[in-house]
């Protein structure tokens, strides 16, 4: 069976998108669906290329049982060919991804992570990099919520209020 390929994208690929990758993989593992998916993450910038996830993000993620193992890599145009869905964390990421899209088919693959929110009304996953503990916790709250909605979306279930 063909795997569903999903790429999570933020700015540096050291806070939000590696967390999205770990949270969504965790959900898939819990429900025994891991083999149906290929999940990765990338950053629109290459400043942190080759680095592990931010230590603060790792600390908060570990408290919820997620290990952030991915190494930062920049988004590449070829990712539009490799993935079925490309999911941006914030508006700035989305603008950059749209700028890099080559055609309608590329644009059709773009989503905001918060499109899949169930409980939360945020329009984006805010950048936690220059803030404190609360920002990292909020990232994880939003990602856990939206991951469940994303799984339902991929499985053809009805969207929630936020992403109708
Ligand atoms: P991320 O967070 O996009 O969630 O990985 C950031 C990481 C690094 C920077 C900004 C945001 N930075 O300015 O270096």
């Amino acid at each position: 069976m063909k795997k569903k390929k999903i790429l999570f994208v933020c700015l540096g690929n050291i806070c939000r998108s590696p967390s999205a990758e770990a949270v969504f993989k965790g959900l898939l593992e819990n429900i025994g669906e891991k083999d149906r998916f290929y999940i990765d993450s990338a950053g629109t910038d290459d400043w942190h290329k080759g680095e592990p996830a931010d230590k603060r993000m790792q600390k908060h993620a570990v408290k919820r049982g997620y290990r952030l193992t991915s190494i930062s890599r920049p988004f590449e145009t070829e990712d539009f060919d490799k993935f079925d869905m490309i999911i941006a964390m914030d508006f700035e990421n989305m603008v950059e991804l749209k700028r890099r899209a080559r055609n309608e088919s590329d644009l059709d693959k773009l989503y905001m992570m918060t499109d899949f929110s169930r409980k939360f009304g945020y329009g984006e996953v805010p950048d936690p990099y220059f803030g404190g503990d609360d920002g990292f916790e909020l990232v994880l709250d939003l990602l856990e919520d939206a991951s469940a909605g994303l799984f339902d979306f991929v499985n053809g279930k009805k969207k929630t209020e936020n992403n109708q």
Side-chain angles (χ1 to χ4, degrees):
M1 197 190 51
K2 202 165 162 284
K3 290 190 184 203
K4 186 88 177 166
K5 299 186 211 85
I6 300 176
L7 181 68
F8 296 105
V9 176
C10 62
L11 180 62
N13 192 212
I14 55 170
C15 295
R16 293 163 293 174
S17 60
S19 300
E21 185 184 338
V23 168
F24 194 63
K25 279 181 176 169
L27 180 153
L28 295 175
E29 213 152 295
N30 282 342
I31 56 176
E33 295 274 354
K34 199 167 158 242
D35 294 344
R36 284 181 50 214
F37 291 82
Y38 176 73
I39 309 297
D40 194 9
S41 65
T44 55
D45 271 285
D46 63 1
W47 307 323
H48 296 280
K49 187 178 173 182
E51 293 177 19
D54 183 283
K55 284 272 182 297
R56 299 163 297 168
M57 191 75 251
Q58 288 201 41
K59 184 188 85 181
H60 286 274
V62 160
K63 280 199 285 180
R64 299 190 192 200
Y66 305 111
R67 280 185 59 239
L68 306 187
T69 54
S70 81
I71 299 296
S72 176
R73 70 144 175 112
F75 177 83
E76 294 167 347
T77 307
E78 295 72 41
D79 287 319
F80 281 115
D81 301 321
K82 292 181 187 154
F83 291 89
D84 304 306
M85 296 177 76
I86 297 172
I87 304 182
M89 296 297 127
D90 70 22
F91 301 125
E92 194 185 313
N93 313 146
M94 179 57 96
V95 167
E96 183 58 20
L97 289 168
K98 281 185 174 165
R99 196 182 66 77
R100 306 235 205 141
R102 301 157 299 182
N103 50 43
E104 279 297 315
S105 157
D106 287 355
L107 287 170
D108 283 349
K109 295 184 176 185
L110 298 178
Y111 299 82
M112 292 291 287
M113 188 61 178
T114 47
D115 288 347
F116 307 104
S117 297
R118 291 168 152 184
K119 295 190 299 210
F120 292 98
Y122 283 74
E124 63 178 358
V125 181
D127 183 350
Y129 193 73
F130 295 107
D133 286 343
D134 289 358
F136 291 95
E137 287 297 316
L138 176 62
V139 165
L140 292 165
D141 287 342
L142 293 175
L143 294 178
E144 287 181 333
D145 183 43
S147 287
L150 171 60
F151 182 76
D152 283 351
F153 175 77
V154 169
N155 285 287
K157 298 222 181 95
K158 198 177 172 308
K159 290 182 181 184
T160 57
E161 257 172 53
N162 285 321
N163 59 4
Q164 265 171 353

